[in-house]
Amino acid sequence: MFAFDNTYARLPARFFECVTPALAPAPRLIKVNRPLAELLGVDADELASPAGAEILAGNVVPPGADALALAYAGHQFGQFVPRLGDGRAILLGEVVGADGLRRDVQLKGAGRTPFSRGGDGRAALGPVLREYVVSEAMAALGIPTTRALAAVATGSPVAREELLPGAVLTRVAASHIRVGTFEYFAAKGDREALSTLTSYALARHYPDAAARDPGEGSDALALLARVVDAQANLVARWLGVGFVHGVMNTDNTSISGETIDYGPCAFLDAYDPRKRYSSIDHGGRYAFGNQPRIAQWNLARLGEAVLPLVHDDEDEAVRLATAELERFTSVFEAAYGRVLRAKLGLAREETGDAALAADLLERLASGRVDFTLFFRRLAVASADPSSDAAVASLFAEPGAFHAWAEAWRARLAREDVTPESRRAAMERANPAFIPRNERVEEALGAAVRHGDFGPFETLVDVLSRPYDDQPEHAHLAEPPGAAMDDYRTFCGT
Ligand code: AMP
Ligand code: MG
C-alpha cells in the first residue's frame, strides 16, 4: 500500500526506539485525504477499505514499515527537558511522492512508546479532528505544514477529564526532525550523533546547501542558515493569516520549516498582537505578536546545539552562529513585508509601505477589527470605493478606517495595475475562510457528542478552497459573537 523507502530507520540505533503500535479494538475510518494519498502514491480506495483502517489504526504494520518512536529533547516554555521523544506518535516510514519529495508517515495516538512517561500514548477524537481540520486548512492557505492523511476511530475510549472516544491521526511531514532532536544529542555531548544528524537533515531538506562546501563546520552553519530562513518565512506567513501556534516549544520547531503540532493553536478573530488562546500559556509567551521573537529564540537553541560542529575554536563558532541568528530579523522583516504588501494589494515595494501597514495594524487593534473579514472586504473596496462603508463598519470608530484609506489609495495610485487585477491578487492573498474557532468547536462537538461528522466534512471541504467566495457557506466566514472573547484552547493530550 505504501511504497516505503526508510532512511531515518537506517540511522544509528540511539536515534529512536523500535515500537509496536497498540491494538485498537474496533477501527473505523473517519476520513481519508484522497488528494494527499494520490500525491503520496497511495491507493486511496485501499486506504479507505477495512484493511486500510487496520493499518491506519496501528493494528497491522504494513510491509516495508519500520515502526519507531523518535528520540528528541526540547525547551518547553523556556525550560529544557532532556528527553521527550515521541510519546504517542509512531513513525511507520517514508514515502517519496509523485512530486519527488520524501515524506514521513506517522501514526499519532497509536499507543505507548518508551518515551511516553506518564502518558497513555493515545489521542482523543476531538484533538485528532482539530489537527485534521487546521493542518489541512493551513496547507490550502499555502503555508508550510504537516498534513493529515487520515483519521480513524479506535473504538477504545481514552480517559481525560472524562472518557472520550479514541482516535488516531495519520500525520505526514517533510520529516519529524526538530530543533529538539539536535538538543537531545547536544545535551548528551554526543558529537558523533550531532554530526550524523546534521548531514542527514541537510541532505534531506536542503540538499543544494549540502553540496556546496562539504565539511562538518560548514554543514552545521549551512543548516542553521537554512532553518533561520525557513522559520522566518514560516512565522511571517502565520502572521499573515492570524495564526497563533500556541506552543512554540523547540520540540515543535521543525527543521524543514513546516508548522507542526496543532494542539492549542487558534486563529485571531479581532486583531490583537497580545492575543493568546492556550490555557497553559499564562504569561503570554506564545502570544500572536511574540511569535517572531520566540522563533528566533528557538533558533538560538539550534545554534547552541550545533555549536561544537561550527568551528573548533569556540569564539569563532559563536561569532559565526550569532551572525546567522542575527540574520533572522532582516529575513523575517523582508518576508513579513511581502506578506503585508500582498494583503494591501501592493505589487511593488516602496519605503513607506511598512509604516502604512503598521499604521493600519494599530488601527485594527484599537478598533478590535476582525482580521480576516477586514482584508477580504478591503479587496472589494480596492476596486470599488463605494464599498468603503462596509470596511469602515468593522471599526468601533469608522473614521479610523477612512483616515488610513486616504493614504492607502494615494499609494495604490502610484502603481500601474488595473483595479480588477489588483482585486483578484488581493483575493488570492486574503482568505475568505479560515478555521474560525467557533466553527471548529462546533464541528468537533457534533462529531464527539453526537457522532455527526457532517459539520467536520463541510468544514474540511470549504477550507480546502479558502480563497474562493463560497456564498452558500457564508456563515463559516462570519466573525464570532462576544462569547468567543475568552476562548481557550488546550494541549491536545
Ligand atoms: P506536545 O505538547 O503534543 O508537543 O507533546 C509534548 C510531548 O509529550 C511529546 O513528547 C509527546 O509525545 C508527549 N505526549 C503528549 N501527549 C501524550 C500522551 N497522551 N501519551 C504519551 N505521550 C504524550
Ligand atoms: Mg509536539
Side-chain angles (χ1 to χ4, degrees):
M1 181 174 306
F2 293 95
F4 285 117
D5 173 35
N6 306 334
T7 59
Y8 206 85
R10 310 278 96 81
L11 291 173
R14 59 195 188 282
F15 279 59
F16 51 80
E17 300 275 357
C18 295
V19 293
T20 307
L23 286 183
R28 193 177 57 78
L29 185 80
I30 296 168
K31 178 102 182 142
V32 160
N33 186 338
R34 287 179 172 268
L36 181 57
E38 196 170 308
L39 178 64
L40 297 180
V42 179
D43 184 333
D45 290 325
E46 228 183 299
L47 211 52
S49 73
E54 292 289 330
I55 291 172
L56 296 169
N59 283 355
V60 173
V61 177
D66 291 292
L68 47 91
L70 305 194
Y72 56 85
H75 276 85
Q76 300 190 312
F77 291 90
Q79 299 301 312
F80 185 61
V81 183
R83 183 181 154 100
L84 284 165
D86 289 329
R88 57 158 169 177
I90 297 176
L91 180 66
L92 289 182
E94 300 152 34
V95 292
V96 178
D99 54 3
L101 298 179
R102 173 180 299 277
R103 293 181 181 85
D104 278 4
V105 178
Q106 188 199 57
L107 303 181
K108 196 171 162 187
R112 288 180 53 82
T113 79
F115 301 104
S116 294
R117 295 165 289 166
D120 59 3
R122 304 287 190 169
L125 176 60
V128 163
L129 297 182
R130 191 163 206 285
E131 174 155 354
Y132 196 113
V133 168
V134 184
S135 67
E136 284 305 303
M138 291 286 272
L141 287 165
I143 298 173
T145 178
T146 64
R147 304 283 307 267
L149 178 61
V152 292
T154 59
S156 158
V158 295
R160 296 296 181 256
E161 269 112 76
E162 51 186 323
L163 279 186
L164 294 168
V168 176
L169 180 85
T170 306
R171 181 162 72 181
V172 171
S175 85
H176 286 86
I177 307 172
R178 319 125 196 275
V179 169
T181 318
F182 287 84
E183 292 180 286
Y184 178 77
F185 294 114
K188 288 176 178 301
D190 188 344
R191 184 193 168 112
E192 193 188 325
L194 267 181
S195 179
T196 301
L197 182 63
T198 300
S199 309
Y200 178 84
L202 200 57
R204 182 158 173 182
H205 296 301
Y206 308 105
D208 58 315
R212 220 182 288 149
D213 185 14
E216 204 176 57
S218 64
D219 270 5
L221 208 56
L223 182 67
L224 182 61
R226 290 308 178 97
V227 183
V228 166
D229 290 343
Q231 287 289 333
N233 277 281
L234 179 65
V235 174
R237 300 296 306 274
W238 288 356
L239 298 199
V241 295
F243 180 75
V244 186
H245 183 284
V247 61
M248 287 178 72
N249 295 331
T250 58
D251 54 307
N252 296 330
T253 304
S254 163
I255 294 299
S256 73
E258 288 181 337
T259 312
I260 186 168
D261 199 320
Y262 286 90
C265 63
F267 280 75
L268 295 183
D269 294 301
Y271 182 75
D272 178 1
R274 294 160 312 170
K275 190 77 188 174
R276 65 181 172 94
Y277 293 96
S278 170
S279 57
I280 59 168
D281 188 6
H282 304 294
R285 178 182 171 90
Y286 299 144
F288 178 76
N290 274 355
Q291 295 183 114
R293 203 168 64 71
I294 291 292
Q296 192 177 21
W297 190 91
N298 291 344
L299 290 161
R301 306 290 78 76
L302 177 63
E304 278 169 10
V306 300
L307 207 59
L309 304 184
V310 168
H311 203 281
D312 289 336
D313 179 70
E314 199 186 323
D315 291 342
E316 183 62 3
V318 170
R319 195 186 63 74
L320 291 166
T322 304
E324 287 305 337
L325 292 167
E326 282 176 350
R327 254 182 353 93
F328 178 91
T329 310
S330 59
V331 177
F332 170 77
E333 290 300 338
Y336 191 41
R338 282 191 296 277
V339 165
L340 288 173
R341 281 199 302 282
K343 291 186 82 64
L344 293 174
L346 305 177
R348 287 185 296 101
E349 186 175 354
E350 275 190 21
T351 36
D353 293 346
L356 183 71
D359 179 23
L360 172 65
L361 293 177
E362 267 173 47
R363 290 166 194 260
L364 294 182
S366 55
R368 300 199 46 72
V369 177
D370 187 85
F371 188 61
T372 303
L373 208 50
F374 171 81
F375 282 102
R376 195 67 184 184
R377 288 193 187 173
L378 192 70
V380 177
S382 75
D384 172 19
S386 75
S387 298
D388 275 18
V391 189
S393 70
L394 296 169
F395 288 73
E397 168 52 65
F401 172 69
H402 294 301
W404 175 84
E406 216 170 293
W408 175 60
R409 286 225 161 76
R411 171 67 182 83
L412 293 185
R414 292 199 291 278
E415 297 208 338
D416 190 19
V417 176
T418 66
E420 293 70 32
S421 73
R422 175 182 294 127
R423 175 180 168 166
M426 286 180 77
E427 288 179 344
R428 287 192 302 272
N430 293 300
F433 295 93
I434 53 159
R436 297 264 183 192
N437 306 320
E438 208 173 10
R439 301 285 90 83
V440 173
E441 292 304 324
E442 214 167 68
L444 267 46
V448 174
R449 281 196 292 280
H450 310 296
D452 174 10
F453 291 84
F456 163 75
E457 291 285 348
T458 302
L459 199 54
V460 169
D461 184 52
V462 169
L463 291 171
S464 71
R465 288 165 286 127
Y467 298 103
D468 292 356
D469 281 317
Q470 302 174 57
E472 67 281 22
H473 295 298
H475 68 290
L476 295 175
E478 276 164 24
M484 291 300 277
D485 273 359
D486 42 38
Y487 176 65
R488 284 279 169 270
T489 57
F490 302 89
C491 283
T493 47

